[in-house]
Structure formats: structure tokens, C-alpha cells
Amino acid sequence: MPHDAALRRPPLAALAHWLRGSMGARLIALFLGLLLVVQLAGLAALQASFARHARSVLPERLHTGSRVLQGLLDRQAQALQDGARLVAADPAFHEQLRSDDAAIIAAALNQHGTRLGATEAALVTPDFQLRASRQPDGTELAALAGRLAAAAATGGRACQVALLGGRAHHVVLVPIKAPQPAGWLLMGKPLDGGLAREMQSLSALQLTLLTQGPDSDAWLPAHSTLAPAQAQTLARHAWRAGQAPATLGAAGAELAVQPLWLTTPDSPGAGAVLAVLSLPLDDALRLPRDVQMALLAISVVGFAAFGLLGVLCVRRVTTPLGRLAAAADRLGAGDVATPVTDGVHRDDELGHLARAFEQMRVGVEHKQKEIVKLAYWDALTGLPNRVQFREALREAIRAAGDSGAPRTTVSVVMIDLDRFKQVNDVLGYRFGDLLLARIAERLSQHTVRGADLVARLGGDEFAVLLRDGGIDVARSVAQRIERAFDTPLTLEDHAIDMGGGIGFACWPQHAFDADTLLSRAEVAMHVAKRRGSGPQPYDPALDASSAQTLSLLSELRHAVDTGELRLLLQPKLALDSGDVVGAETLVRWQHPQRGLLAPPQFIPFAEQTGFIRSLTLWVFEEAARHWGTLESAGMRMPLSVNLSTRDLLDPELPQKLDALLVRHRVPAEAFCLEVTESAIMEDPQRAQATLDRLSALGFKLSIDDFGTGYSSLAHLKRLPVDELKIDKRFVLGMQADADDAKVVRSTIDLAHNLGLSVVAEGVENAAVWERLRELNCDQAQGFHLGRPMAAGEFLQWNARWVTRLRPDVPRGQVVLH
Ligand code: C2E
Ligand code: CA
Ligand code: CA
């Protein structure tokens, strides 16, 4: 997900996304979650146990509280009593009493009351009648003095809590002895809020003082440390004397309460004062604040420590896992060269996994190398194969193009061995393999400069890539290869004379890309083979795959179907009599756009593509028709038909021709089959087999273009041949060139010795005709006698020839044009 999209997500969704995406995050979340559960469970157990304990000690706390309160009250009462005693024993006070002056006595009471914090101070007679008081209205004090009389009479003093003016007071009654008993001093000090606050700070209990007037049942809150609403609730409760601690609901809180009666319940008309100690249950049962804080601190530290440790632990697992995943990604992306190093030295499961990964990588790398080797190397010779060669060539062209140097050239020299199939057939495939390996060695030794690359493209085809070398370099390398083949190879007692067709092509002169360059070198190589002419540079004029000829194949098919082909006849004449003794059929293509095309413009292409077989069959069909036409015109003579290499290698050719004879009701001797030497030498054994069968069917056989190939007459002797055609090159040159003349003469002699008849082609003038007659040549063919003509034309020519233009009458003046 893109960064900004992640940012836009709400935090919870982002957390969920993070948890889903990271195993480490989930583990840490699980750890912390567990810790939280444990903490909460502990806290709950602690709280429950604490609450149980607190509840059990609650009565005891309240009881202790009431004792503390009692103590506080006693202390206050004692202080008041002590103060009163001191006043009662003071001689100055006695003196004031003795004055019997009401104003003096009132002032003394005022002064001592103020000093002791007593709001009430009174002088009581020995028989407990009020004599003087600090406050003007003494009714309540008089009644109080009456109530205290009994206690004072028996105990010599009295001390209690009493209601005065609706407020709770400590009251004390002490005797005045001056030195004889002179009455009693009564002092009253109000119980104030200080008592409740002191009680709270001493016992953590809340104190509420309630008062009840002498003529009322209702309690009124006097002082309270509770909230006013809670104090009101306490006031509304029906308190009874001797009541045990209890719980009360007060303003939404539960209070544990303990009442304490401060006044004697059974004094009629005196009112009552009640102290209620209380404790909110929530506070009592809740864990104390310091414990809570300690627990919180422990939790926070625990969480932090757990989280930190969790992150460290998880990272120890997830980091190597992440690295292994990255290594797996690398492997998946095809990078098998980078070793897996992370975690391989660990002793745990991750180490095991990392080592397993590394082993897998090594295995894959090994396999890949093997596959690459199989894909890029030729197992037999150890040389690069076609695939690698092609890639290297592409790379070289790219590098040369990138370098920008204007004179950089890349060349390909291609070699196809001659007669390798023969070696395989005769000496076996094992020997053939060994031979290929030796040839590969020789090629590598003799031809390769530093940057050059020798490859076996397949079968008996090799190629050399010259990364930096133009036509001249390519030519010299090609010539070196040719010379390297001059020395026969010795292998297992056999001396093998290997040769081959060598062609070369250069980038960028001949092609702009690797594939075209390869196919152009191949074209040159095929031309070299066909011509047997040594290393051959690519020449667009020869190219059956150049742009001009590429569309030819479909056009050629079309031509056969729609009758664009013509089969011309060129007469063959007997040199001794001048009779027309036969004719050679020569094909032409009446191309709708390009006009009349001669055989060299499409026959090599047809040969290369294999289309020649169909074309040959068409020629035979047409020739059979022509033969019928000639025969019905009274000219029964054999027609010569040219066969190409591919035809000779077609094992079904004899039976196809046989069927054709039957179909056209034509005898086999109607045809003479012309075969070139080089076609035979391509695969001599198969050629011989085909020729034997054709001869057995009754076809006459002729060796065409004799003298251009390497075949010896001795070899030809073994073939079922009837006729030899001396190549026109020698015939054309025999006037000017003594060597050519010699070749013609010796060929005629040798052929006659072997019992073959001899035809000279390319007879262009009467002198040559004459010379050939002298040399005893049997037949002649040439423009001097007749150009290739359509069948109708041929008949007309023949008619003229027979009547007027026979070269022998008068000889040497034959002009046909
Ligand atoms: P080829 O079999 O050697 O045919 C003889 C060639 O010599 C013919 O050329 C012919 O026109 C030419 N020629 C004949 N007399 C003279 C002469 O006095 N002077 C000169 N300079 N040339 C002469 P064409 O017809 O152009 O054929 C060229 C080659 O094409 C043939 O050479 C043959 O190899 C091939 N070819 C022609 N027709 C066929 C065919 O139907 N099938 C096959 N497979 N090949 C054919
Ligand atoms: Ca021919
Ligand atoms: Ca010829």
C-alpha cells in the first residue's frame, strides 16, 4: 500500500492492518495481552481478598474509633474540669466571691470562662441553686445544676455532655472551698467542629454529632465531616441506645456506622447528643491508594519491560525470517548467484532453515548451470552452439553499434563440410562424431584470434564470429580455414580429406541485424558449395533470401498454378550430319511485373527452398507434352531435362517419373536426364542409387557442365551415364584460350574411351562448330544453331533448318538470327 494511503487510514484500522501484516506485531500484542490478563486477574484477587479482610475488621475499626472518640472527649472534659478546679481553688476568685458584689462576680465568671473557652460559667450555691451566671438567662443552667446535683453530691464533682441552647457542651461542676465549701463552679464548653476533624485525622473515620432537643424526637446534625446530604441521612435514622455497628445507605454511598451516646439516655427533659462514627464502605474496601500506585507502577514497568523484551525476541526471529524471505524472493526472481549467508551459523530452527535455503540455492544454481550448458554448448565438440553463437553475434553487433567507431565491423564466416554424410555412412556415426570433434579442434587452433568465437551450428556446419574485422579480415580467416583443411585429418588409421563450402558476410555492409547476417553468411556458404569456388563473400545478386526473392516462393507456386512458366527447347545437333538429334528443355518465367526471368533468377532459390522438386515435375509434364507435339510433327527425338541436387536426393523421383511416363504414354527414351557433377558429389552414394534406378527405367543420363567439378572420369565410369556435356565455359573460350581448347579436346577423347557420347554446349559461331567437328565431338548446342525457343517456334525453326540452314550446306554460314 502506498505511504499516503496508509496515513489516511483511521488509527484502529491502521493498527489492525499492521497486526495482520506482521507476525512480530501479533506476537508482541499477544504477549502484552496475556500480561494484561494476568495483571487484571492478580489485581482482582488482591482486591477481593483485601475487601474480605477489610470487611471482617470493620466492626473492630469502628469500635476502636469509638474508644478513640471517648478518649478525646474525656481529655477535653478533663481539661475543662482541671481549669474549673484551678479557678475554684484560686484565692483571688474567693476574694471576689466574698465581695458578694454581683457585678464583681459576673466579671470574674466572664474572665475565667473566656480564658478556659467555656461559653457557660455559673456560680451554684451549696444546695445547687444558681447564684450567678455568665449568660443573663440562667433557666437552662439552673435545671442542669439540678440534674448534676446527685452526681456532684456523691462524687464531689460532676462532668458530662449536655445540651445547652440546643448545642452539645461539656459541662463540669466543681466545688469551691474558700476554705469552707462555698458552693459550686459550673462551666460549659461547646463541642465544636475541631473534635470531628481531630477524630478524622486520628482514625480515618468520619464523625457526625447529632443533637435532639428535650421536647423533640428529631435529630439534628450539629457537626459532621460527611457531606451535608449524608449527615442529613444519618439524622433521619432511628437511633436506639446500645445499637451495634451497622451499614446504612446514605446519598448513594454505603456507610458503616457506629453510634455513641454522649448524654445519658434516661434524663428526662435534658435532650440528647449522639456521636455517629462512619466509614464509607467504598473507601474501606478499596485498596489503599499507595498500594494502587505501587501496582500501577509495577504494571507500567512490567508492560514496558515485556514489550521491549518481546520486540527484541520477536526481532531475533522475524529479522532472519525477513532476510530469508528476501533470499527466497531473489531466488524467485532468478538470482541464484547470491549466497544465503544470513543465519546459516545459528544452531536453532532458523539456522536449519537458512542452511536448507542455501542448499536449495546451490542445487538450483547447479541445475541452472547444467541447463545453460545444455542450452548453450554443443556436447560433442565442446564448442558454443547456435543459440550461444547467435547471442554472441547480437551482443557483438550491439557493442559495435554502441562504440560509435565508424570502421568497426562484425563478420561471420560459415563453413559447411563436404561429403560428411558420406563419412558417416561409410565409417559410422561414432567415427563421424570423432571427426567433428577433431575438426572443431583444428578450427579453433587455426583460426581463432583472441576475441573470435568458433561455434558448431549443427550437423557439419561451423561458424566463426569475428568481433572486429571487415571483409578483408573475414576473407583471410576464411582462406586460413580453407588451408587448414588442406592437410588431411588422420583418425584411427584413416586419412580423411575434408573440405567445405566457406561463405562470409559482414555487418553492417551486408546486414543490419544478427539473424540476417547469419542467413547471409549461410547464403554465401551455399553459393561457395555449389560453385566449389573457395571462400565466397556474400553478394546480394546470389541471394535467394534477399528482399527481392523473399516473396518469390509464393509467387513461384502461383506461377506453376497459373501457367506463368514456359518451357523452351534448344536444339541439339549431330556434328557430323547436321541433323537435329534432340533438344534441351530450358525453363523461363513470364513474370507479370518483372517480365521474362532467366533460370538463374529463380532456380537457385527454388533449389534452396526445396520447391525445385515441384518445378522439376512440372518441367517433365511439359516436356512430355512437347515430346508428343514433336513426335506428331514427325520429330521423334529425346528431350534433355535438367535435374538438380534435390531431385537426385529424392528417393521417390524414379517412381514419380515412371508414373508420369504411363500417364502421358511416353517411352523412357523420350528423355535424357542432365545431372551436374556437383549434384552427384553432394551425396555420391544416394545419387548413384537414384541414377541406377532411373537408368534401369530406361532413361538416358547425361553429365552436365562437365569440367567444372572435381569428379574424375574414373568415378563417372561407375555411373550408368550415356553422355557428357562439356561446360560452355570451355567451349566459349576454346578459340581464345589454349587451355580451354585442351580441356575440350581431352574431354572428348576420354569420354570416347569410356564409351560416352560428347555434347558441346555454347557453340556461338561457325568456327567453333567446325573445330568441334574436327575434334570428333558428337553433338553441339548453342546460339549459333538455335536459341531456346517455344515448341511452336521450334517446329518452324526445324522446318527452315532442314530446308535451308543446315550448317553443313554450306558449312560455316549458318546464321539463324
Ligand atoms: P545448363 O543446363 O547448362 O543450360 C544451358 C544454358 O546455356 C542455358 O541457359 C542456355 O540458354 C545457355 N546457352 C545455350 N547455348 C548457348 C550459347 O551459345 N552461348 C551462351 N552464352 N549460352 C548458351 P539458361 O536457359 O539460362 O539456363 C541456365 C541454367 O539454368 C541451365 O544451365 C540449368 O542449369 C538451369 N536450368 C534451366 N532450365 C532448367 C530446368 O528446367 N530445370 C533445372 N533444374 N534447371 C534448369
Ligand atoms: Ca543442361
Ligand atoms: Ca550445361
Side-chain angles (χ1 to χ4, degrees):
M1 165 159 311
H3 189 58
D4 54 344
L7 280 181
R8 275 201 303 274
R9 242 199 296 258
L12 262 182
L15 182 71
H17 179 79
W18 179 62
L19 285 178
R20 259 201 309 277
S22 158
M23 190 184 82
R26 284 204 301 278
L27 274 177
I28 293 169
L30 185 72
F31 281 171
L32 293 181
L34 278 176
L35 182 66
L36 185 68
V37 168
V38 169
Q39 291 269 34
L40 288 178
L43 186 65
L46 191 63
Q47 169 69 56
S49 141
F50 179 82
R52 232 182 0 263
H53 173 74
R55 202 180 278 279
S56 73
V57 300
L58 208 53
E60 176 63 30
R61 265 186 85 180
L62 287 170
H63 189 66
T64 311
S66 57
R67 279 210 308 273
V68 170
L69 178 61
Q70 195 64 63
L72 274 178
L73 287 172
D74 287 354
R75 216 176 62 224
Q76 285 188 3
Q78 189 64 46
L80 185 62
Q81 191 176 316
D82 290 350
R85 268 213 192 113
L86 279 177
V87 174
D90 184 2
F93 182 60
H94 293 169
E95 202 60 37
Q96 288 160 337
L97 289 183
R98 270 193 298 273
S99 73
D100 217 8
D101 183 337
I104 291 176
I105 294 173
L109 287 176
N110 238 346
Q111 181 206 339
H112 291 297
T114 305
R115 192 170 50 82
L116 295 178
T119 49
E120 303 292 344
L123 196 60
V124 178
T125 59
D127 54 347
F128 300 102
Q129 298 302 312
L130 193 70
R131 189 176 145 203
S133 72
R134 194 181 169 191
Q135 306 297 340
D137 181 13
T139 347
E140 248 189 324
L141 280 180
L144 177 66
R147 283 200 302 276
L148 295 175
T154 46
R157 62 186 169 89
C159 176
Q160 58 177 246
V161 172
L163 207 60
L164 282 176
R167 289 179 67 192
H169 285 75
H170 277 295
V171 285
V172 291
L173 196 64
V174 291
I176 308 168
K177 288 177 181 152
Q180 279 75 42
W184 303 85
L185 180 63
L186 186 144
M187 288 235 165
K189 187 178 180 181
L191 298 183
D192 56 10
L195 175 72
R197 282 194 296 280
E198 196 173 355
M199 186 62 206
Q200 189 183 27
S201 74
L202 280 177
S203 66
L205 297 175
Q206 312 288 338
L207 174 66
T208 306
L209 281 180
L210 300 176
T211 57
Q212 193 180 50
D215 313 314
S216 165
D217 283 342
W219 290 99
L220 291 171
H223 299 288
S224 179
T225 50
L226 288 173
Q230 290 177 324
Q232 286 295 341
T233 314
L234 291 189
R236 281 193 296 276
H237 187 67
W239 298 103
R240 282 172 285 106
Q243 189 173 5
T247 53
L248 272 183
E254 193 86 354
L255 297 177
V257 293
Q258 164 83 64
L260 189 69
W261 297 83
L262 301 187
T263 49
T264 334
D266 52 350
S267 52
V273 178
L274 180 66
V276 180
L277 289 170
S278 63
L279 183 62
L281 273 183
D282 275 0
D283 289 350
L285 305 185
R286 192 187 302 138
L287 281 173
R289 205 165 179 76
D290 53 346
V291 176
Q292 283 182 6
M293 292 316 287
L295 281 178
L296 185 70
I298 290 172
S299 298
V300 169
V301 172
F303 263 89
F306 234 73
L308 203 68
L309 273 176
V311 168
L312 289 179
C313 284
V314 162
R315 280 182 62 176
R316 260 187 78 74
V317 176
T318 53
T319 308
L321 270 184
R323 295 210 179 109
L324 284 180
D329 283 346
R330 277 204 307 275
L331 274 178
D335 171 12
V336 291
T338 314
V340 180
T341 48
D342 286 317
V344 284
H345 304 301
R346 292 171 68 134
D347 285 334
D348 54 6
E349 292 85 343
L350 280 171
H352 191 80
L353 186 63
R355 286 190 293 279
F357 250 83
E358 173 60 5
Q359 267 171 18
M360 183 174 95
R361 183 197 66 78
V362 170
V364 170
E365 188 184 23
H366 182 70
K367 281 264 161 8
Q368 215 170 58
K369 275 188 183 150
E370 261 178 22
I371 290 170
V372 167
K373 202 166 172 199
L374 283 178
Y376 286 97
W377 297 89
D378 172 47
L380 182 65
T381 58
L383 291 179
N385 65 7
R386 182 183 284 274
V387 178
Q388 192 183 342
F389 187 82
R390 217 169 126 220
E391 275 183 16
L393 178 58
R394 275 196 190 141
E395 186 51 36
I397 288 179
R398 212 174 48 80
D402 288 350
S403 78
R407 308 181 76 88
T408 318
T409 312
V410 175
S411 303
V412 170
V413 180
M414 208 178 275
I415 307 112
D416 188 280
L417 301 181
D418 289 336
R419 296 181 299 277
F420 179 70
K421 203 183 162 327
Q422 200 185 350
V423 171
N424 252 346
D425 289 351
V426 174
L427 297 167
Y429 281 93
R430 195 190 62 84
F431 191 89
D433 287 354
L434 286 176
L435 188 65
L436 283 177
R438 287 290 297 277
I439 285 170
E441 253 170 49
R442 192 172 273 198
L443 272 177
S444 305
Q445 281 165 9
H446 286 83
T447 64
V448 176
R449 304 172 303 163
D452 299 344
L453 179 79
V454 179
R456 180 181 172 217
L457 302 187
D460 55 355
E461 211 173 288
F462 293 85
V464 185
L465 165 63
L466 308 172
R467 287 199 169 85
D468 180 18
I471 293 186
D472 293 339
V473 176
R475 181 176 283 114
S476 79
V477 168
Q479 284 164 351
R480 264 213 313 280
I481 295 172
E482 198 187 26
R483 279 198 299 279
F485 280 132
D486 280 351
T487 331
L489 275 162
T490 327
L491 196 62
E492 297 185 348
D493 299 338
H494 296 279
I496 313 287
D497 206 351
M498 283 317 280
I502 303 174
F504 54 94
C506 308
W507 175 93
Q509 292 93 325
H510 298 143
F512 292 116
D513 63 272
D515 285 346
T516 317
L517 185 62
L518 260 177
S519 74
R520 303 238 141 128
E522 193 172 348
V523 166
M525 182 267 286
H526 281 302
V527 171
K529 265 181 101 82
R530 208 170 41 245
R531 293 191 175 163
S533 56
Q536 176 80 43
Y538 172 76
D539 176 356
L542 306 167
D543 188 0
S545 65
S546 75
Q548 189 201 7
T549 49
L550 260 181
S551 62
L552 266 182
L553 185 59
S554 63
E555 285 184 33
L556 202 51
R557 283 211 178 90
H558 185 74
V560 173
D561 295 343
T562 56
E564 287 170 13
L565 297 184
R566 311 265 176 276
L567 193 65
L568 306 186
L569 298 173
Q570 187 180 30
K572 285 167 79 180
L573 278 71
L575 271 158
D576 53 357
S577 63
D579 289 340
V580 182
V581 289
E584 181 175 1
T585 61
L586 293 161
V587 72
R588 296 288 180 273
W589 181 359
Q590 187 61 54
H591 193 280
Q593 282 90 39
R594 282 186 266 157
L596 192 68
L597 300 183
Q601 287 171 277
F602 60 95
I603 293 287
F605 171 75
E607 281 173 341
Q608 268 176 30
T609 55
F611 186 73
I612 192 72
R613 291 184 183 184
S614 313
L615 194 126
T616 300
L617 287 182
W618 176 86
V619 169
F620 269 102
E621 299 272 349
E622 197 64 7
R625 262 194 295 279
H626 285 352
W627 188 84
T629 313
L630 297 187
E631 203 215 10
S632 31
M635 298 180 72
R636 189 183 170 93
M637 59 178 76
L639 297 183
S640 296
V641 176
N642 293 288
L643 291 186
S644 73
T645 317
R646 294 268 196 154
D647 295 317
L648 268 191
L649 297 179
D650 178 8
E652 285 163 18
L653 180 72
Q655 103 212 21
K656 283 181 197 162
L657 294 189
D658 199 22
L660 182 124
L661 296 181
V662 175
R663 207 163 52 246
H664 287 271
R665 299 166 191 273
V666 173
E669 59 272 18
F671 299 111
C672 173
L673 309 186
E674 293 191 3
V675 186
T676 62
E677 276 178 281
S678 56
I680 295 170
M681 294 321 290
E682 189 88 358
D683 189 349
Q685 284 198 319
R686 264 164 83 179
Q688 169 132 27
T690 311
L691 291 178
D692 283 343
R693 286 170 62 200
L694 288 170
S695 168
L697 285 172
F699 292 106
K700 282 182 72 185
L701 298 178
S702 169
I703 301 290
D704 203 355
D705 299 348
F706 186 80
T708 54
Y710 302 102
S711 52
S712 63
L713 277 173
H715 180 252
L716 291 180
K717 214 176 128 184
R718 273 182 278 157
L719 296 170
V721 188
D722 307 280
E723 181 187 276
L724 257 190
K725 285 183 90 168
I726 305 174
D727 192 74
K728 60 177 172 282
R729 194 195 310 175
F730 305 108
V731 181
L732 288 170
M734 72 187 263
Q735 277 183 302
D737 191 319
D739 283 347
D740 284 351
K742 236 186 257 167
V743 170
V744 173
R745 198 179 58 218
S746 60
T747 306
I748 294 170
D749 289 348
L750 282 165
H752 282 164
N753 282 342
L754 291 168
L756 305 176
S757 75
V758 186
V759 182
E761 59 179 16
V763 179
E764 291 194 349
N765 55 49
V768 173
W769 168 272
E770 209 44 60
R771 181 78 188 115
L772 288 168
R773 248 166 62 98
E774 283 164 20
L775 290 174
N776 261 336
C777 187
D778 301 291
Q779 292 174 18
Q781 182 183 343
F783 294 167
H784 178 59
L785 311 165
R787 286 189 173 257
M789 295 165 270
E793 228 184 308
F794 183 81
L795 286 174
Q796 290 168 12
W797 170 86
N798 185 54
R800 288 204 303 278
W801 179 258
V802 172
T803 54
R804 304 187 280 126
L805 298 170
R806 284 168 60 136
D808 50 341
V809 202
R811 273 190 198 121
Q813 288 163 25
V814 178
V815 181
L816 290 170
H817 323 301

